[in-house]
Each structure stands twice: as structure tokens, then as C-alpha cells.
Amino acid sequence: MPSNAYNNFAKNLQDVERLYDSHSQLNHDGRGRRGLGHLTRSGIFMLCAAWEVYHEELIKECVNIIVNNIDLPKDLPRPIRIVLIDYYTNLKDKRKLLHIAGDGWKSTFLNICYGVMADLNSPKATNLNKCYKNFLAVDKVSDFWSLTEQDINKFVEVRGEIAHNGRGAEYIRINKLESLIKSISVAVIENDNAILDYMKDTFICGRAPWYRINC
């Protein structure tokens, strides 16, 4: 089976597809708008939520794999070591440095990751690149997607406009929603397969953490 994060994405995508299907059922032949913008706007909103949750869950899933397969913090890739060093350097209560002992770095790393993921509220390419870099040491995760960073950022910006303006946001045509469902789904598959290879080669000695998804 694919990653747990992908399986959850597929479930969330079903809600988006139901909105798409509802639009098709309620629409009638002929030109002009049918007052169904609430369905397409909701579809964009839910699709962006699925995109965001997927990355949050995949990063946490991978961080758990890392702490279960790396014994010593010195064996971590440099970007991850820097995250831990910065955390301990900025501690006001230096007694917490005792938590480094033994496997203490593992719970610290998990807590840092979970806290950052909980606060992620804009899954634009720049933010995702930073999270994958800090927690998985992936140089630039957006390079794995056939969509460009600009494509992703525009998609997230449309979600933001809907969140802030509601019905006053840009009218979303059904063909735009259909196109985004397809392209975001492909980007998630590309991401899942690429991170599979990366985790296998970097952290778990050639063992695949989950199964590859066939496009």
C-alpha cells in the first residue's frame, strides 16, 4: 500500500469528487452560469485542504521512520542536525539540555516537527520546500512535481481568496476544478513515489517504507 498520508489524501479526494459530481448532476444543458459556484469553490477549498494535510501527514510519517532507524543524532543529515542544534541553542531553560541524553533527541525532533506541521496554514511551494528540507533533508521537494511552484502558489492563493471573501471570491468554473483535481492528484503521486525512493536510499538501507503508486 502507498504511504498512510496518500491513503488519507485519497479519502479526502472523494469529497472533492462528490462536489464535482454534484455540479454535473445539478447543471443543465445550455450556456451561462447556474448559480453553482458554491460547489466549485467548495471543491477548490477541500482540494487544497487535502493537499495540505497530505504533506503534513507525510512529513510526520517520515520523521517517525527516521527516529526509528537512526540511533545517534550525529548520523542525521546536516539540515536535520541544524534544526536540533538551533532548538537546543535557543532554549531558555538550559536544564532541558538533559533531554539530549540517550534517545531524548528523538522525542525532541518529533515534538518540533509536529508543532511546525500543526502551524502550517499555507501549503505553498516555498513553505513545503522548507518543511521537507528541515525535517527530511530533501533539497527541494517541488522539483518532484510536474506542476510548477507558481502553479501550486496560484492554487493556494485561490483557496485563500475563497476563505477570506466567500461568495465574493473569483467564480470557479467546473473545468478549472476538474483540471486541478487531476493535476494535484498527479503531484501527490509524484511526491509519494519520490519520497519513497529518498527514504529508502537515505534512511532505511534500501527497504521501501511503502509501495509505489502506478500513475
Side-chain angles (χ1 to χ4, degrees):
M1 101 176 18
S3 68
N4 293 329
Y6 178 82
N7 289 332
N8 196 31
F9 171 81
K11 292 176 184 176
N12 288 329
L13 189 63
Q14 290 176 1
D15 287 340
V16 182
E17 291 170 338
R18 289 189 186 106
L19 287 165
Y20 176 84
D21 291 340
S22 295
H23 185 284
S24 299
Q25 291 166 11
L26 292 171
N27 200 10
H28 57 74
D29 294 335
R31 303 186 59 170
R33 295 179 182 178
R34 306 290 180 264
L36 301 177
H38 61 291
L39 292 175
T40 52
R41 287 191 296 270
S42 297
I44 294 289
F45 199 89
M46 292 297 296
L47 182 61
C48 192
W51 168 257
E52 180 175 341
V53 170
Y54 164 75
H55 290 288
E56 291 172 356
E57 293 188 343
L58 186 69
I59 290 172
K60 291 189 289 187
E61 189 172 339
C62 290
V63 165
N64 276 282
I65 291 171
I66 290 170
V67 300
N68 287 327
N69 285 275
I70 301 294
D71 293 326
L72 300 173
K74 70 179 182 63
D75 296 327
L76 293 166
R78 186 172 182 274
I80 298 177
R81 294 202 310 271
I82 290 173
V83 169
L84 287 168
I85 290 168
D86 287 346
Y87 172 81
Y88 287 121
T89 300
N90 294 321
L91 277 176
K92 292 182 179 179
D93 184 357
K94 298 304 180 184
R95 290 174 296 180
K96 289 185 178 179
L97 289 170
L98 296 173
H99 296 168
I100 301 175
D103 288 340
W105 70 269
K106 297 185 177 186
S107 58
T108 298
F109 184 44
L110 285 168
N111 289 336
I112 296 170
C113 174
Y114 277 54
V116 171
M117 292 301 100
D119 290 337
L120 180 68
N121 57 19
S122 180
K124 289 186 175 182
T126 302
N127 293 338
L128 294 177
N129 279 331
K130 183 178 179 181
C131 288
Y132 278 90
K133 177 78 169 180
N134 287 344
F135 298 114
L136 305 188
V138 173
D139 283 335
K140 195 175 181 184
V141 75
S142 59
D143 285 346
F144 297 144
W145 314 329
S146 51
L147 285 174
T148 67
E149 291 187 11
Q150 291 76 18
D151 291 332
I152 292 297
N153 292 344
K154 280 179 165 180
F155 165 55
V156 176
E157 286 165 5
V158 171
R159 188 279 301 265
E161 185 186 358
I162 293 169
H164 289 99
N165 297 321
R167 190 170 184 175
E170 170 193 357
Y171 185 85
I172 307 297
R173 295 186 177 278
I174 191 63
N175 59 352
K176 181 172 182 177
L177 175 59
E178 180 183 25
S179 175
L180 282 169
I181 290 172
K182 292 177 181 177
S183 59
I184 293 297
S185 297
V186 169
V188 168
I189 291 173
E190 291 167 339
N191 194 84
D192 219 65
N193 288 338
I195 296 299
L196 179 155
D197 291 334
Y198 172 79
M199 293 297 293
K200 178 179 68 173
D201 296 338
T202 307
F203 295 108
I204 47 180
C205 303
R207 289 181 290 112
W210 53 77
Y211 291 131
R212 180 175 298 278
I213 306 166
N214 294 321
C215 297

